[in-house]
Amino acid sequence: MHRLFDFWERYMRIPDDARLFLENHGQIKQYRKSTIFSSPDEPKYYWCFTLEGLVAGLHYAKDGKKSSFRWLSIPNSYFTGTEHVFTRRAGSVYTTFLKDSTVFQLRADAASTAQRRYTAVSEFFHILKQHQLTRLRNHVLLLQTTDYYERYRILIEEMPDIVQHCDIGIQQEYAHLSRGTFYRVKKRYLNQRNM
């Protein structure tokens, strides 16, 4: 839990009562790689902060094949087991752990209460939401880019936090690049950087 508070304190001082509320209502949970946290058929009513590991929102095509990453939750970001924390409606993705992960978990009703009761919690949630929106915008930009070299450049330069926490295979999938294309544009990128 200290990692959550340490990250939060980069932005503001945490009032003692807000800290105590989260300590009393939250819990640290560990999940193994490949565990499904929630699905469209089985929502989980939690707000979760990723302390370590990697979590993904995966969309599956009607034939059951994974079609795409909708989002990634890297350390110091959040996810929910529903469409968003203020609804009981399931999302359209499977929330899955891509690495062994540790998360701070807060029931959705407690997260909603904390946000209403404590200004610092509300501000922290907004900061995390802004970080998430920035990652999602960069991902949309990356996927809208038809030039593979430019797509790789955006991944490396605009999304270093994703690159830092994802292995090559996940980077390839996230950028929608085949293995061969990924290595070809990576080589070109490195050659141009070393000129």
Side-chain angles (χ1 to χ4, degrees):
M1 199 170 301
H2 293 295
R3 286 175 285 186
L4 166 66
F5 294 137
D6 289 345
F7 179 74
W8 190 352
E9 286 179 334
R10 292 182 195 173
Y11 298 95
M12 69 190 76
R13 187 182 92 47
I14 308 168
D16 292 339
D17 54 351
R19 183 187 302 259
L20 186 61
F21 182 92
L22 295 182
E23 287 173 347
N24 288 337
H25 290 86
Q27 58 183 335
I28 304 295
K29 299 281 282 187
Q30 294 185 333
Y31 294 94
R32 303 292 297 168
K33 178 181 177 178
S34 301
T35 301
I36 295 175
F37 178 76
S38 64
S39 69
D41 300 335
E42 200 175 325
K44 294 266 176 71
Y45 306 108
Y46 289 97
W47 177 90
C48 300
F49 182 84
T50 304
L51 297 167
E52 58 185 35
L54 184 63
V55 190
L58 301 174
H59 184 266
Y60 286 84
K62 291 184 190 241
D63 63 4
K65 294 183 180 174
K66 181 173 65 173
S67 68
S68 63
F69 286 110
R70 292 302 165 101
W71 50 261
L72 289 174
S73 180
I74 59 175
N76 298 328
S77 61
Y78 80 98
F79 64 95
T80 61
T82 56
E83 193 168 310
H84 56 80
V85 76
F86 302 110
T87 185
R88 296 190 68 75
R89 192 170 56 235
S92 61
V93 298
Y94 288 80
T95 302
T96 305
F97 296 93
L98 300 180
K99 293 181 179 178
D100 289 351
S101 300
T102 304
V103 300
F104 170 79
Q105 229 170 258
L106 189 62
R107 288 192 52 79
D109 57 345
S112 181
T113 297
Q115 186 170 18
R116 281 192 318 272
R117 191 177 293 172
Y118 306 106
T119 303
V121 172
S122 180
E123 289 176 6
F124 183 56
F125 282 10
H126 285 299
I127 289 166
L128 292 174
K129 183 71 167 178
Q130 187 57 53
H131 289 189
Q132 183 183 58
L133 288 172
T134 299
R135 273 192 300 280
L136 290 172
R137 280 190 201 111
N138 285 336
H139 193 211
V140 168
L141 173 64
L142 181 143
L143 296 178
Q144 289 176 334
T145 302
T146 56
D147 179 79
Y148 295 147
Y149 175 82
E150 183 62 14
R151 194 178 292 180
Y152 179 83
R153 188 201 64 74
I154 291 169
L155 176 68
I156 297 302
E157 294 179 9
E158 304 298 328
M159 308 172 90
D161 53 347
I162 295 294
V163 172
Q164 176 186 353
H165 295 286
C166 297
D167 64 29
I168 297 289
I170 294 171
Q171 291 176 40
Q172 292 169 10
E173 283 187 62
Y174 194 71
H176 286 234
L177 294 170
S178 70
R179 180 180 167 88
T181 299
F182 184 89
Y183 283 107
R184 188 181 77 246
V185 295
K186 178 180 180 180
K187 182 178 179 182
R188 180 177 158 205
Y189 179 83
L190 293 173
N191 287 339
Q192 289 188 357
R193 300 286 294 174
N194 292 327
M195 291 180 150

